Amino acid sequence: MAERTQPLAASCARAPKGWAGSDIAGAGLAGAVWPGAGVATFLVLLTLGAVVAVALRAGSGGALAASDWAAVRFTLGQALVSALLSVALAVPLARALARRRFFGRGLVITLLGAPFLLPTLVAVLGLLAVFGRNGLVNSWLAMLGLGPVQIYGPQGVVLAHVFFNLPLATRLILQGWLAIPSERFRLAASLGFAPGDLFRRLEWPMLREVLPGCLLVIFLICLTSFAVALTLGGGPRATTIELAIYQAFRFDFDLGRAARLAALQFLICAAAAVVALWVTTPAAIGGGLDRTVQRWDAGRLWPWDALIIAAAMLFLMLPLGTVVAAGLPQLLSLPEVVWRAAGRSVLVALASTALCLAMGLVLALAILQVRRGAGVLLDTAGMLSLAASPLVIGTGLFLIAYPLVDPSRLALPVTALVNAAMALPFALRALLPALRQAERDFGRLATSLDMTGITRLRLVLLPRIRRPLGFAGGLAAALSIGDLGVIVLFAETGSATLPMQLQRLMGAYRMADAAGAALLLLVLSLAAFWILDRSGRANAAT
C-alpha cells in the first residue's frame, strides 16, 4: 500500500505560490492545454453523461421496492462497520510499526500493499480456504470440539472488506505517526512522560486529524464493493446496491430499476466524497529537523507490539499462501477456456493501461500550464470517476448503447475504457508531483535553451517521470486484470475475462479449476505491476 499512499499524500501538497500557470510552464508546454481540455471534456461526458443516461431512464419507472431499500440499508451498514473495524484494528498495528525498528520491517510495510493489488476474487478464494466451511479455521475448531464459523452472509462481506482495507488504514495512519517530529519525542522523554501522557499529548492530536479522513475513505471504498458481495453475500440479508443493480440487469432485465439504483448509488458516493473532503483537516503537528524518530517509551511494550504485527501478517498473508498452495497443482491442467479468458484480460489491461497513461499525462501537462482555478477544474475532471462506481458508469453506457448496437459486442472495449477511467485518479496523483518537480528544477534552463513542446517533453520531462509513470502503468494494469465490474453487464460466453471466468468456476463449484485460475490471475496481476513498475525504474537516475 506504500505505493498507493505516497502519491496520494504527495499530491495533497499545493504547488508553490505563483508556480502554476507561470511563464516557465506556459512557454514550454503551450500546446498541452487543448488536448488536456479535450481529455477533461471526455471524462466529464463519460462519467456525468452515463449518470444522466441513468437518471433519464430512472425517471421512466416507479419507486424502489422494499428489497431495494433493504439493499441500501445493508450497503450503508456494512460499509460503516467495515470502516470502523478496519480503522480500529489499524491503530494498534500502525503504532507498533511506528515505534519498532526490526530486521524485515521494510518488507512488512511493503507487504501491506499486496491486498490492494490483489484481485478481489483471488482474495475471496483465499479467505474461503481459511474461513470457509472446510477451511483451516473450522478444521481447528472441530479439533477443539467447537462449532464452525460461517463466512457467507454479512459477516463474510465485512471480513473481506477488513482484509482489503486494514492495510490501507494502517499505511494512512502510519504516515501520521511518522509525521510527528523526533524533537517532540525527545522533549517528552526529557520531561518523563508516561506512555499515557505521550498518547494524550502527542499521539491523540495526530489521530484526531488523521482518523476521520481515513474512516471516510474506507467507507467510500466499501460503498462500491461488488465482487465481494457477489461471492460472499447475496440473499435478502446481504445484498448491496451494486449487487442489486447486477441482479436487475442479468436476471430481470429491468433497466428502469437498475437505473434508479445506479442513480441512488451515485448520489450516495458523491455525498460521501464531499463529506470526506469537508471532514479531512490539514495536519497541524508542526515541523522538525527530519531526524530519525527514537521512541524511549516502548521498552516494556515490545511483546505486545510483536504479537500485534505477527497476528496482522498472519491474517493478511495466510489467504495468499493457501491460494498458491491450492493453485500450483492445477495450474498446468487448466481448461482452454481459462487460458483464452486470461488472454482477453491481458489485452484489455494493455489497452486500458495505454489509455490511462495517455490521458493522465496529457491532463497533467495541461494542469501545469493553466492558472490555478482552471487547473483545479481539470484536476476535478480527472477525479470524477471516484464519485461513480464502474457499475454505475457501465449501466449508463449500456443504456446508451442498447438501442443502437448489441452491447455484448462492446464488452471488451467498454471494459478497457472504464478501467482506464477508474485508474486515472491514481495515475494523476502519481504524475503531477513529479512533473511539477521537473519543471521547478529544469524549467528555466529548458526555456532558456528554447526547448518547447515535444522536445521539452522528450528530453526534459519524460526521463524524470519514468518512475511514477512506470508505477502508474503497473497499477492500472494490475487493477484492470483483476477487475470484475462492468464486464459482467456486457460480456457473453465468448468475451469473458479471467476474473469473470473465475467467478463462473466458483459458481459451478469447480473449486480445483478455480484454484488454478485464481493463481493464474494472481501471477498475471503481480507480474503486470512488477514489469511496468520496474521498467520505470530501469536506468532512471532521477
Side-chain angles (χ1 to χ4, degrees):
M1 200 67 63
E3 294 90 350
R4 176 182 180 181
T5 55
Q6 288 171 357
L8 286 173
S11 67
C12 294
R14 291 186 175 182
K17 184 177 181 181
W19 187 87
S22 65
D23 293 337
I24 297 175
L29 303 172
V33 175
W34 289 113
V39 169
T41 302
F42 169 75
L43 292 170
V44 170
L45 291 176
L46 175 66
T47 307
L48 298 184
V51 173
V52 169
V54 165
L56 291 176
R57 180 74 187 205
S60 64
L64 293 175
S67 60
D68 297 328
W69 289 113
V72 172
R73 289 191 295 271
F74 176 73
T75 300
L76 295 173
Q78 62 82 20
L80 180 60
V81 173
S82 300
L84 288 173
L85 282 176
S86 298
V87 171
L89 294 174
V91 169
L93 178 57
R95 192 185 195 196
L97 290 171
R99 65 187 177 190
R100 293 297 165 194
R101 296 293 182 270
F102 55 89
F103 178 77
R105 178 177 178 271
L107 178 62
V108 168
I109 295 176
T110 300
L111 288 175
L112 288 176
F116 180 71
L117 294 175
L118 194 65
T120 303
L121 288 181
V122 175
V124 168
L125 206 60
L127 291 173
L128 287 173
V130 176
F131 298 98
R133 184 176 304 162
N134 299 316
L136 298 176
V137 171
N138 280 329
S139 299
W140 296 336
L141 291 175
M143 289 189 297
L144 297 175
L146 301 176
V149 297
Q150 178 60 258
I151 193 174
Y152 292 102
Q155 63 273 18
V157 173
V158 172
L159 175 67
H161 284 161
V162 172
F163 175 81
F164 281 113
N165 294 302
L166 173 60
L168 171 61
T170 301
R171 289 310 309 266
L172 292 175
I173 298 170
L174 181 60
Q175 293 299 320
W177 242 296
L178 297 179
I180 301 176
S182 172
E183 290 75 21
R184 302 294 178 90
F185 290 105
R186 289 175 178 268
L187 179 60
S190 67
L191 295 175
F193 274 22
D197 298 323
L198 191 66
F199 179 81
R200 186 172 61 256
R201 299 293 183 183
L202 287 184
E203 295 174 327
W204 173 244
M206 177 275 298
L207 290 174
R208 192 170 53 196
E209 294 174 351
V210 172
L211 291 186
C214 179
L215 186 69
L216 282 164
V217 166
I218 295 175
F219 178 79
L220 182 61
I221 292 173
C222 295
L223 275 180
T224 58
S225 172
F226 170 68
V228 169
L230 179 65
T231 52
L232 296 179
R237 295 194 313 115
T239 297
T240 61
I241 299 176
E242 295 216 345
L243 185 54
I245 295 172
Y246 169 71
Q247 292 169 346
F249 258 116
R250 303 299 292 182
F251 301 125
D252 304 328
F253 202 68
D254 188 347
L255 298 183
R257 175 172 172 251
R260 291 190 294 274
L261 287 167
L264 182 60
Q265 169 88 330
F266 178 80
L267 291 177
I268 292 174
C269 291
V274 170
V275 172
L277 292 174
W278 177 67
V279 169
T280 304
T281 58
I285 298 173
L289 299 178
D290 295 329
R291 292 172 175 163
T292 301
V293 175
Q294 298 183 24
R295 298 292 297 267
W296 290 273
D297 62 303
R300 293 177 297 176
L301 299 176
W302 69 266
W304 294 107
D305 289 344
L307 181 62
I308 290 170
I309 295 172
M313 295 309 297
L314 181 65
F315 172 64
L316 296 174
M317 294 297 111
L318 187 58
L320 289 182
T322 60
V323 169
V324 174
L328 274 176
Q330 309 296 329
L331 191 58
L332 297 180
S333 60
L334 287 173
E336 184 181 356
V337 65
V338 174
W339 293 103
R340 289 181 178 176
R344 284 190 286 269
S345 288
V346 171
L347 292 177
V348 168
L350 290 174
S352 175
T353 302
L355 184 58
C356 176
L357 293 181
M359 291 193 301
L361 186 58
V362 169
L363 195 57
L365 291 173
I367 291 172
L368 292 188
Q369 189 202 345
V370 299
R371 298 286 177 182
R372 187 180 299 276
V376 170
L377 291 178
L378 292 177
D379 200 358
T380 302
M383 303 295 290
L384 270 178
S385 59
L386 292 180
S389 71
L391 216 58
V392 172
I393 298 177
T395 301
L397 294 177
F398 187 98
L399 294 173
I400 293 171
Y402 182 67
L404 305 174
V405 65
D406 181 5
S408 63
R409 298 175 59 183
L410 303 176
L412 298 183
V414 167
T415 300
L417 177 62
V418 175
N419 286 347
M422 300 308 295
L424 181 60
F426 302 108
L428 203 56
R429 300 277 68 80
L431 294 176
L432 267 175
L435 284 171
R436 285 183 175 132
Q437 185 64 45
E439 275 293 325
R440 268 198 301 269
D441 293 344
F442 300 98
R444 293 186 182 277
L445 177 61
T447 301
S448 68
L449 296 174
D450 198 26
M451 297 176 65
T452 60
I454 298 298
T455 302
R456 188 188 189 104
L457 177 65
R458 181 172 59 87
L459 297 179
V460 178
L461 299 180
L462 285 181
R464 287 161 183 83
I465 63 169
R466 286 187 61 178
R467 290 177 184 267
L469 198 63
F471 163 73
L475 188 60
L479 293 178
S480 180
I481 287 176
D483 178 70
L484 180 67
V486 66
I487 187 68
V488 299
L489 300 179
F490 287 82
E492 299 295 339
T493 303
S495 57
T497 57
L498 185 54
M500 190 172 181
Q501 189 63 43
L502 173 57
Q503 189 267 332
R504 289 173 176 173
L505 291 173
M506 294 172 65
Y509 296 100
R510 296 171 57 183
M511 301 311 294
D513 287 339
L519 180 58
L520 177 60
L521 184 57
L522 175 63
V523 170
L524 288 178
S525 297
L526 296 182
F529 177 80
W530 183 82
I531 290 172
L532 290 173
D533 184 45
R534 291 296 299 176
S535 68
R537 295 174 182 270
N539 301 320
T542 58

